[in-house]
Amino acid sequence: MPTYSKSNRRPQIIAVGQVPPPVTGYSYITARMIETLGENADIEAINISPRNRLGTSKHLHKGWQVLRACWRIATNSRRTTVAYFGCEGDWGLIYTAGLVVSARLFGYTIFLHHHSFSYIDRWSALMRLILSAGRKRTRHIFLCATMRHRFELQYGRIDDCRIVSNAAFVDPSSMLKEDALLPGPLRLGLLSNLGREKGLYIFIDLLRALRQCGVNVRGVLAGPIAKEEDRVNVTAAESELGGALQYIGPVYGEAKDRFYRDLDVFVFPTVYPNEAQPTVLFEALAAGNRIIAYDRGCIRSQVGKSGLAIATTEDFCLRASAYLAELQQNSISTSSRETIVCEFRELKSTALLSVATLMTDSGHSRFSSHLGCCS
């Protein structure tokens, strides 16, 4: 890491990544990380979010934004010492590789924030290129110990890294549901950019399976639906399942808080290949919800004792149905929800400490003097 002078001059950081809109877990966390780094440094932020999410125009616009960022990296190198990049997955690594190579050519120290398991689950030549270009003077930011461990199994030891959980950027609920002990249907929810990859159809199949088993259940879907086919199928499922399924559309602010507060269990059967550490799971835990999810990325460590992480090789509906039937029999108490919230608060506190030491530098008074590798 660079050594700043002992003066009060704040470090200068150029930060490049996707920030909302559109709102995704990756863009939200990138925006929050840039905001947090800006508390102790002067930030020049460059947004490379594409205007359109599909088609050639997406890549043309994003490519232009990346070229603009590379130009700023080149022209800013005399006064800026650190470059922060949100690392993309799949073919998005092409953009990340271009940024990393540019930063190394001009002598920057690089913070590379990993958000995807796509290049961890499968070896990637693009990631190998990124590591070859920027292995020295690069601090890797991983989301959990599992992510770091599996990354090193694929690409070898990483000498300088930090673990910063997304829990740092999620606020606990200020109010828990007061009617947790009252009888009624078991309330399940899914919030995401709704589609097949995020488990939309598995969620609907789970409601069907639970009704066949005689479990009194109500499911709520929240979030945007991009594809017309998915929208039509959700409407048909609402009609088929009657009051057991409701789609409430995108939710933000207080409406999103109320969505989580009114749930008993958050269900997230994601099969998305880039899935790493979904923000929605921390939001659910912050509201005291139990979680049932496929075990992908960091999800098992997120769920912990507050739900069920199902192996991707298992029948999701079968395992989840058995768990939920038992959960309904035992009921869900307010105290158990409070326990989940307290455990989340501890996770958040630990994550905030990790953020505080992210810019550690023994020569700069604004940052902690603690230094360590892969902490």
Side-chain angles (χ1 to χ4, degrees), residues 352-375:
L352 286 173
L353 286 174
S354 297
V355 174
T357 62
L358 184 60
M359 284 288 294
T360 54
D361 176 64
S362 57
H364 200 285
S365 60
R366 291 183 181 271
F367 300 112
S368 165
S369 61
H370 170 76
L371 287 171
C373 292
C374 297
S375 58

Side-chain angles (χ1 to χ4, degrees), residues 45-86:
I46 299 178
N47 179 16
I48 59 171
S49 290
R51 289 175 180 168
N52 299 308
R53 301 190 67 183
L54 299 172
T56 304
S57 61
K58 165 187 172 179
H59 297 287
L60 288 173
H61 179 262
K62 187 168 182 176
W64 169 250
Q65 295 293 81
V66 170
L67 287 174
R68 184 171 70 91
C70 290
W71 173 254
R72 291 301 298 156
I73 288 168
T75 57
N76 239 18
S77 58
R78 290 188 176 182
R79 71 181 188 89
T80 303
T81 53
V82 176
Y84 166 87
F85 302 134

Side-chain angles (χ1 to χ4, degrees), residues 177-183 187 331-335:
K177 182 154 56 76
E178 298 178 354
D179 64 342
L181 292 174
L182 296 179
R187 286 153 285 204
S331 75
I332 299 174
S333 66
T334 300
S335 62

Side-chain angles (χ1 to χ4, degrees), residues 25-321:
Y26 164 49
S27 65
Y28 171 77
I29 294 299
T30 299
R32 290 295 304 270
M33 178 61 85
I34 291 173
E35 175 186 322
T36 302
L37 291 174
E39 294 174 3
N40 292 302
D42 293 330
I43 301 283
E44 179 183 355
I46 299 178
N47 179 16
I48 59 171
S49 290
R51 289 175 180 168
N52 299 308
R53 301 190 67 183
L54 299 172
T56 304
S57 61
K58 165 187 172 179
H59 297 287
L60 288 173
H61 179 262
K62 187 168 182 176
W64 169 250
Q65 295 293 81
V66 170
L67 287 174
R68 184 171 70 91
C70 290
W71 173 254
R72 291 301 298 156
I73 288 168
T75 57
N76 239 18
S77 58
R78 290 188 176 182
R79 71 181 188 89
T80 303
T81 53
V82 176
Y84 166 87
F85 302 134
C87 188
E88 303 195 34
D90 295 326
W91 291 107
L93 283 174
I94 293 174
Y95 302 116
T96 304
L99 292 166
V100 169
V101 169
S102 296
R104 289 301 299 124
L105 283 174
F106 291 96
Y108 287 78
T109 292
I110 299 167
F111 285 5
L112 192 61
H113 196 172
H114 297 275
H115 296 276
S116 171
F117 265 74
S118 65
Y119 50 80
I120 296 175
D121 291 334
R122 299 178 304 279
W123 186 88
S124 167
L126 283 168
M127 178 50 68
R128 174 54 65 190
L129 171 63
I130 289 168
L131 291 173
S132 298
R135 185 174 287 277
K136 294 182 178 180
R137 296 184 66 187
T138 297
R139 173 161 288 178
H140 293 261
I141 305 171
F142 296 113
L143 304 179
C144 67
T146 299
M147 183 182 233
R148 180 199 69 201
H149 174 68
R150 289 174 55 185
F151 186 93
E152 290 184 327
L153 287 178
Q154 284 282 27
Y155 302 104
R157 177 176 170 79
I158 300 298
D159 294 324
D160 188 357
C161 63
R162 291 290 187 273
I163 294 175
V164 178
S165 168
N166 288 341
F169 307 112
V170 175
D171 297 322
S173 176
S174 60
M175 185 184 303
L176 295 180
K177 182 154 56 76
E178 298 178 354
D179 64 342
L181 292 174
L182 296 179
L186 196 62
R187 286 153 285 204
L188 313 182
L190 168 61
L191 167 62
S192 185
N193 291 307
L194 295 171
R196 189 173 298 279
E197 285 190 323
K198 290 294 186 175
L200 171 62
Y201 293 98
I202 297 175
F203 181 86
I204 294 171
D205 285 341
L206 176 60
L207 293 179
R208 293 186 178 113
L210 290 169
R211 278 167 60 95
Q212 290 175 358
C213 294
V215 177
N216 187 12
V217 65
R218 179 174 180 267
V220 181
L221 290 168
I225 300 178
K227 295 182 179 179
E228 183 61 25
E229 175 189 4
D230 295 334
R231 186 179 300 277
V232 169
N233 286 332
V234 167
T235 300
E238 281 185 293
S239 177
E240 172 197 344
L241 295 168
L245 176 64
Q246 180 185 13
Y247 171 56
I248 62 174
V251 290
Y252 305 99
E254 175 55 33
K256 185 167 75 168
D257 293 341
R258 186 167 56 252
F259 164 81
Y260 286 116
R261 196 164 58 237
D262 288 344
L263 296 183
D264 297 310
V265 183
F266 186 81
V267 180
F268 197 61
T270 177
V271 295
Y272 181 49
N274 287 319
E275 206 71 74
Q277 194 182 54
T279 308
V280 290
L281 295 192
F282 282 135
E283 291 174 345
L285 292 172
N289 299 152
R290 283 171 172 77
I291 293 172
I292 304 176
Y294 263 137
D295 180 13
R296 304 185 68 91
C298 298
I299 287 177
R300 180 171 292 276
S301 61
Q302 280 185 277
V303 173
K305 298 179 181 179
S306 300
L308 179 67
I310 300 173
T312 55
T313 55
E314 294 189 66
D315 185 320
F316 187 93
C317 292
L318 186 63
R319 283 293 310 282
S321 295

